[in-house]
Every structure is written in C-alpha cells, then in structure tokens.
Amino acid sequence: MSDTWIILGATSSMARAFARKAAASGAAVLLAGRDQPDIAILAEDCRLRGARLAEALPFDARAPEGFAPLIDRLTREEGRLNAAVFVGSMPPQSAIDADPALIDGTVTDSFTGPARFLQLFAPLVEARAGGTVVGVGSVAGDRGRIGNYVYGSAKAGFHTYLSGLRNRLTRAGGHVVTVKPGFVDTSMTWGLPGMFLVASPEAVADDIWKAVTKRKNVIYTPFFWRFIMLIIRHIPEFIFKKMKI
Amino acid sequence: MTWNSTTYSGWGRALKAKGEIARPERQGALEACLSDGLLPACGMRRSYGDAALNDGGRLIDMTRLDRMLGFDPETGILEVEAGARIGDIAAAFAPRGWLPAVMPGTGLATVGGCIAQDVHGKNHHHIGSFCQHVVALRLRQAKGTVAVSPDKTPDLFRATAGGLGQTGIILSARIRLIPCKGDVMVVTERRIEDWDQHLALLDASTATYTVGWIDATATGAALGRGILEEGETGAGLVPKRVSTRRVPLDAPAFALSGPVVRAFNAAYYRRVPARGRTVVKPIADFFFPLDKIHDWNRLYGKRGFHQFQCVVPLAAAPALRQMLESVAASGLASPLAVLKRMGPGRAGFLSFPMEGYTLAVDFPNRDEARALIARLQAMTAAAGGRIYFAKDSLARGTDAAAMYPELADWRAQVAKADPGRRLATDMVRRLNLRSEA
C-alpha cells in the first residue's frame, strides 16, 4: 500500500524528524508550512532519504483559505492518505497578559487552524477507508497552570477535538493518534529556564512512528510523562491552585 | 532568536566555558543571529578540548542545519548543510551502496566539524583525510557568503581544511562518497602479542579499514599488546544494532582506576580467541563503536578527561614505544587506546596527519595525568611529530608553533578571511594560533 503523508508545520524540528521517518519508509511526503524556501530544502533532504515523492507546499494555520488547495493536491495521490499536525505557537504567558489579543493567534495556531484543516481532511480518510491522523498536543493541555495556561487550554481543546475525530474516523477504518510530548529540545524550548528530562525531536519522532504502526490512541513521549501527568492531574484543585509548577 | 545562557564544555569536559549559544533551525534564523556581526560556530562539540568553546562570548550551534541538499549518483558527490552528522549520512546512504570517503571514530561528528579538524578515519593510509574529499564548500564571512574549493581558491581552502573554523562559518559542503558493498562490515580481529608485532601487522595490513586497539596498561614483554581489526564492507543480513544506552550520571573516580582498567583490558584482549576470528557486524558498530553508549564521557566523572593523540614519522617508532612505556608505567591510562598507521594525506595548513604512526590514549583529568601528557607532548615534538587539535586541551602556544610548520601561511589567510577577529575560540587563544606568542 502506498502511503502519502501531509505534514503541517514542517519547519518544526519534531516535524522534520517525523518527515525523515516517513521518507525512510518510502512514503510520499507533502511538507506544508510558512517558510517555503526552508521547506524546499527539507523536501530535497526527504527525497535523498528515500521518499517516493517530496514537495513543499504553503500552509498557514491563520489563513484557512489556503486549506482547500492542499486537499486538492492530496486527492491527486493514490493510496492511503495520512496527516500529521505539528503546528502550534506558545508566546510567553507574560506577553499574553500584556496583550490579550495574542490569545486569538495562539488558539488558531494550536487548535482551530489545524482543526479546520482536519475537518476537510477527514472525508478523504472516510472515502478511502483508511489513513492516520497524527495530532501533536502537549502535556501542557492536561492541566492549566500559571506559566502557560492559554497555550495549555488551546492544546486541551485540540486533544478533545482529536478524541472526537478518532471516534468518527474509526468507523471508516481510519485512525487518530494523539501525541502529548513533554519537554522536547526544539526552538520553542531553547534557552527556557526550568527544562528537565528534555527529549530529542528524533526520539519523539520514533515514538510517534511506532504509535502510528501500532495504532495507539493517546501517547505521551517520552513515555514517563504519562506517570508525571497522572500525578499532576490527580492533585486536588484546592492544593493545585496554590502550587507553582 | 533566543540566546541560551549556559556553561558548556567539549567532549572531554575538563575545560569549560560560559556564554550564550543560539541554535538556528533555518538558514534565515542563522542570518538573524549574525545581525551584530560574525560569530564562531560549533557542531556536536565532539572535539575533546576547547576547539568549540568561546568563553565569555557567543557561539552558534549549527547542529539543526543538518539537511542533505543534493546528490549526484554519477559522481557520488553529496551536498549537505554543515550540521549534518557523518553517522546519519552513512545510515542513509550505505544501504544504497555509498559511504562518506572518510569517517571519524564517532558518527556524531558534523560535516562542519570534520572539515574544521580535517579528520581522518580507519582508511587514512589508503584514502587520506576528510578534506581531501571535500570538493567545494560555502563559508559565511563578515561580508557575505563565499564559495571555496581546492582548485579555485586553494589558499583559502587550505586555511579552512583543519582551520578550526577561523576562516568563516562553514554553511555547507560538497563531499565525495565512495561506493561500498552494503551496510555490513566483515571484520577480522586477531590478537597482537607485543609492540613489534603490532607495528609489523599494521605495516603489512592490506585491508581497506585497519585499526589497532592497544592495551595501554600492559608492561614488560606484553607492552604494545592489543587487537588488530581489519574491515571490509559487505552486503547481507546482520542482527539489528542493539539500542543505545545512556550513562545516566557522572561515574565515581574508582570506575576507571588502575586495577579496574587492567582487569577490563585483560578481559577485552582475551575476548578475541587466540587464533583470531572473523565477525560480521552493522556498519555503525565497526566505525562508531562508542556511539552506542550515549554520554560515555561521563564515565570519567565530573572532572572530565583528556585524550592525548600524537602522530610521529615512521622512523620515529622507537620514540613512540618510549611514550607507550611511560603511559603503561604510569598506570593512568583508560581502556580507550588506539594505534594506527597513517598515510601522508592531508588537506590544510593545520591538518594533523603525516605519514607515520598515531597513538591515542585517554586519561582521567588528574594532576599526574596532566603532567604525563606534558611529557608526552615534549617527546612528540622531539620525535618530529605533532599533536591533534581535535583532542588537545593542555598544550601551550609554543608547542603548537613548532609542530605545525605551515602555521604562518595559515595565519596570513585567516587574517584576510576574518580581519575583525570575530571567530577566535578558546583554543585559538590558548595556543596563540592567530598571532605570534
């Protein structure tokens, strides 16, 4: 079965590592994001690593009028169609506190933009009776905390959306993987204080790829975040509200 | 661009630097980092000493600019960004019958780092150094990007090859891959009983890849004993590479104390049967044996370690034997010690290789070890040899000047390439490489 992956937010380091995994498997990779010259470089990299086809395409989570052409491009590929969503933005909470208008962009990038794309994509999975959606959320979406609760709530919304989409696509033979990474060594976390147990993007991409082949529903990566978040989710609110973690 | 304010070190962890590091993930972001002027760049910081340190200043980490830019199957020439790692290139291309012509002992080294140190591999005696297979590269200098190649800009190329990053930031390079049979190595291992046999076998080896592990704790009649490994590429199926392990914390000092190392070395020596053996292994296991253990440098504890590596001319083999005697008598050596025969191939003014024998030994970072390394450096200089900038963290400026006769040519080119002296690193300052002491 020939696979095609569309990868949204392809300039992120996690997406790059995942695209390389898909390329090494011989899949076609359609790399979508804003920085076209940079994505063109990644496309050539994926071709050299074994991708059947690699193309750079424009995608901006805040410009939904660009989504339909991507769907058209996808339908021209035969075989199973898959999508992996790596978009999101995390302005410092202090910046949001100073300018609440930043909330709209954060929620669009991390939740509603990708959700609108996936609404258009879902019928392709149903029509071809197969295909996987990978949605990258965050452990920050498991509980709101003072440090990044706007980003966290956008990701929480995205988690819930993915859960519903899984419910829908399972009926058609499709699948949805919700990925909740902990701290990953990306440009988003570079130089941030308080980072620990930081995972490499390659290790995260390995976990995601395994989750896709084993049709896992919700994964934490690295795996131990499942236990960290289990504890954090179960701290009673009357204690949690006084904590700073 | 976010600047990460941090304390960092080279692979040996003995020398440290404090400063800000940026790690651009796109070429546009790199330009943003350079808006205030040129800065020194680093790769995976696999150089042991301070070649990639800039204490009190800023540094650009190039490891995320790691993409393959093009490949021509007619010529085997691959263009990559400077942050691409040798092991990644080998993993991607070996199954299709290609390998980088020269691969250093760790696959985690970047192409940019391999150029800046003009590294060598286990096939140096046949094929020469890394930069002899670089057909072109792009350098970011203060005024913009320049193209460099051995035929069109020979002087700048020779200053860049092994040039410690002082001619500009290496952005990308076109490197030659060589055909291989597949991603499998057929390796013949045999015991070597003593020093004379060690040199004789290295001299007589006709294999494509040759390296000798040496037991640097053996003394007396057993001095110089070890294991000769000769490898050829092959095709076929081998057991999958075991997953990597990580050293989770700094080991206590006794982990590599004299008795432990002696016992380990004796067992390691006897691992190979007396009659020798031929084994088939994944390509990475042969070329990058230690990459399986992440952060193995932590085995030396938090004080870190030093590696001494020298090369001496063929005729100076007796001097090298004397050095090994000093090492063995000191009881300070670690299990990691390597003896190799080198060919004459080198590409730059400051390239390490010369025709002769090269010895590399690791030592924990202790007073006695530093004193021993100073003696070994003096013996190297007296033997007409030189030490390796990729490994050194202890030499002084006068040592380096005597060992590198083309230093003046290098200085002249570097003065033109980086007149603002923006690219100086801790190593360049420690060894007074850019100006007379």
Side-chain angles (χ1 to χ4, degrees), chain A residues 51-209:
Chain A
R52 174 164 58 82
L53 174 154
E55 248 176 67
L57 299 168
F59 172 84
D60 182 347
R62 304 188 191 188
E65 64 280 5
F67 297 172
L70 292 180
I71 299 294
D72 291 343
R73 175 66 193 81
L74 271 168
T75 51
R76 294 214 302 276
E77 291 300 316
E78 290 177 7
R80 197 160 56 189
L81 302 178
N82 310 275
V85 179
F86 289 88
V87 293
S89 63
M90 185 176 73
Q93 186 67 40
S94 56
I96 294 174
D97 294 343
D99 178 12
L102 288 176
I103 291 177
D104 294 349
T106 306
V107 173
T108 307
D109 292 340
S110 309
F111 172 23
T112 56
R116 284 183 67 169
F117 174 85
L118 291 175
Q119 282 304 109
L120 302 178
F121 180 77
L124 301 186
V125 175
E126 288 165 334
R128 300 195 187 187
T132 300
V133 171
V134 169
V136 176
S138 169
V139 294
D142 274 9
R143 195 152 191 184
R145 15 174 230 107
I146 189 167
N148 62 2
Y149 57 92
V150 169
Y151 171 75
S153 54
K155 287 294 191 185
F158 191 46
H159 294 165
T160 307
Y161 172 81
L162 291 170
S163 163
L165 188 65
R166 182 179 306 114
N167 200 193
R168 168 178 168 185
L169 293 184
T170 299
R171 285 143 214 269
H175 185 60
V176 176
V177 182
T178 304
V179 180
K180 298 184 183 179
F183 295 142
V184 186
D185 190 11
T186 65
S187 59
M188 205 193 251
T189 58
W190 178 254
L192 284 191
M195 291 285 134
F196 58 93
L197 298 172
V198 177
S200 72
E202 290 75 24
V204 168
D206 279 349
D207 282 355
I208 298 175
W209 192 254

Side-chain angles (χ1 to χ4, degrees), chain A residues 11-13 16 20 35 38-39 41-42 44-45 47-50 185-187 190-192 200-202, chain B residues 2-4 21-23 25-27 61 64-71 78 81 85 88 92-93 96:
Chain A
T11 46
S12 91
S13 43
R16 183 190 294 181
R20 285 170 168 174
D35 188 341
D38 191 74
I39 294 175
I41 294 173
L42 180 62
E44 183 59 30
D45 181 82
R47 260 192 294 278
L48 291 174
R49 286 168 192 269
D185 190 11
T186 65
S187 59
W190 178 254
L192 284 191
S200 72
E202 290 75 24
Chain B
T2 311
W3 292 89
N4 187 8
I21 306 180
R23 189 184 58 192
E25 295 192 342
R26 311 177 209 178
Q27 295 185 344
D61 178 328
R64 291 288 163 95
L65 296 168
D66 65 347
R67 292 159 296 192
M68 301 181 190
L69 303 171
F71 179 65
L78 172 72
E81 289 184 309
R85 298 184 293 205
D88 282 351
F93 278 90
R96 284 179 268 164

Side-chain angles (χ1 to χ4, degrees), chain B residues 21-24 30 40-44 59-66 81-84 110 112 169-172:
Chain B
I21 306 180
R23 189 184 58 192
L30 172 65
C42 74
M44 293 292 286
L59 191 64
I60 311 280
D61 178 328
M62 300 289 285
T63 55
R64 291 288 163 95
L65 296 168
D66 65 347
E81 289 184 309
T110 62
I169 297 177
I170 300 163
L171 297 175
S172 65

Side-chain angles (χ1 to χ4, degrees), chain B residues 362-380:
Chain B
D362 284 7
F363 299 98
N365 181 21
R366 286 160 46 187
D367 291 341
E368 313 91 281
R370 289 193 293 269
L372 173 62
I373 291 171
R375 284 204 303 281
L376 296 174
Q377 283 173 347
M379 292 164 93
T380 304

Side-chain angles (χ1 to χ4, degrees), chain B residues 98 132 140 177 190 200 210 221 290 366 376-377 393 414 430:
Chain B
W98 295 97
Q132 290 183 289
R140 172 68 161 77
L177 307 189
R190 57 181 136 162
T210 310
L290 286 167
R366 286 160 46 187
L376 296 174
Q377 283 173 347
S393 50
V414 169
R430 171 168 61 86

Side-chain angles (χ1 to χ4, degrees), chain B residues 10-32:
Chain B
W11 187 242
R13 300 172 79 218
L15 301 180
K16 296 198 160 34
K18 228 177 183 161
E20 290 184 314
I21 306 180
R23 189 184 58 192
E25 295 192 342
R26 311 177 209 178
Q27 295 185 344
L30 172 65
E31 280 308 311

